[in-house]
Amino acid sequence: MPITSKQNEAGSYLNPADLVGAYAVIFLSKRTEIDAGYGQAADRMVELAAQQPGYIGVRSVREPGGLGVTISYWRSEADIKAWRQHLEHAATRETGRKQWYQYYELQVCKIERAYDFGLD
């Protein structure tokens, strides 16, 4: 189920003003037909990332055809690098390459401005 722009995975609000100066890791992916263990691994990665220094939050959506976007927010590039090198994350990433992803790309961006709009 897609989340609204005002929620992270846990349903709590990510204040755009708190994101200015932080980094966004944008993970665009296309899934394979293989689903074995994917949901549990994705949930574990969100749980584990939330325990890392510098982690701010995450937003994620996936369309029925398998195309997905996950954006995680971090305080520094060093925090992102530490997360990338985390052993469990690295092992899960390798499983993703072998089984779950047909394709993915990743971009790291510094957030210069952030704002939102909502009717609710």
Side-chain angles (χ1 to χ4, degrees), residues 27-43:
F27 180 73
L28 175 72
S29 63
K30 173 76 173 169
R31 289 282 316 277
T32 65
E33 299 283 326
I34 300 170
D35 200 43
Y38 177 79
Q40 296 90 337
D43 290 345

Side-chain angles (χ1 to χ4, degrees), residues 49-82:
Q51 298 170 13
Q52 305 310 304
Y55 173 85
I56 299 170
V58 66
R59 292 180 172 140
S60 187
V61 295
R62 184 164 304 278
E63 57 95 18
L67 184 65
V69 178
T70 298
I71 306 171
S72 60
Y73 300 95
W74 300 85
R75 292 279 169 220
S76 72
E77 288 189 273
D79 295 328
I80 295 167
K81 184 177 181 182

